[in-house]
Amino acid sequence: LAIGALVMAGGVMAADSIDGTASAKVIAPISVVQDAGMEFGSFSTSAGDQTVIISPGATLSGTALRSTFGNAPAAGAFTVSGENSYAFSLTMPTTGSVAIGGASGTSAMALSGFTVAPASGSTAFVGTGPTYTSALNASGKHLFTVGATLTTVASQLSGAYTGTYPVTVAYN
């Protein structure tokens, strides 16, 4: 009791202080570029709706009558770049949200059923779409290919059809 009275009377109190630290790491921005466009090749249609399907491995199938003339079928090819070994997500269009058009007076053709596959040496994708996850390699790259289903309308008019589809990447 006497010691407590002396400490209080003398004004001695325990106190401590420290400086906290703060840090940050700025990482490379994530980006995606198209290396090659998707090409469905040349085909003809009949009186009913038809499909042309291209896999990420560039295998062609479907109900439309394909021709060996014209451009060779090809899957779309892309490169994601960013911070080494970081995880990212890839989002492809939902079914029914994309169409490619032709000359004036022609009906657009729907693109749907987008599928993706990593190129050799890139990490596998997890997910069934439209959003997938993967990781960049030790060099900050990830290469992948894209396939889809093209659906014509009955008696699709002849001509060249072109269009775009969104490919979105983001860090996880």
Side-chain angles (χ1 to χ4, degrees):
L1 202 63
I3 295 175
L6 286 175
V7 171
M8 291 181 75
V12 177
M13 298 182 72
D16 194 10
S17 177
I18 189 170
D19 289 334
T21 62
S23 63
K25 179 181 179 182
V26 177
I27 62 173
I30 193 167
S31 63
V32 61
V33 295
Q34 179 176 276
D35 301 318
M38 191 182 308
E39 175 61 59
F40 288 92
S42 299
F43 56 90
S44 63
T45 63
S46 64
D49 293 352
Q50 303 283 305
T51 60
V52 180
I53 303 164
I54 190 152
S55 73
T59 300
L60 201 59
S61 62
T63 58
L65 303 171
R66 291 176 298 284
S67 168
T68 57
F69 300 105
N71 295 336
F78 295 85
T79 298
V80 180
S81 299
E83 192 70 19
N84 301 351
S85 304
Y86 268 56
F88 72 95
S89 62
L90 164 68
T91 303
M92 298 302 297
T94 56
T95 296
S97 64
V98 180
I100 62 174
S104 178
T106 60
S107 297
M109 293 184 283
L111 280 177
S112 63
F114 288 89
T115 55
V116 299
S120 178
S122 288
T123 307
F125 284 105
V126 176
T128 56
T131 300
Y132 305 87
T133 59
S134 191
L136 301 170
N137 65 20
S139 300
K141 301 286 184 196
H142 189 284
L143 285 68
F144 67 96
T145 55
V146 175
T149 299
L150 178 71
T151 303
T152 69
V153 296
S155 299
Q156 187 82 45
L157 294 177
S158 63
Y161 291 75
T162 59
T164 61
Y165 55 95
V167 176
T168 304
V169 295
Y171 284 123
N172 287 348

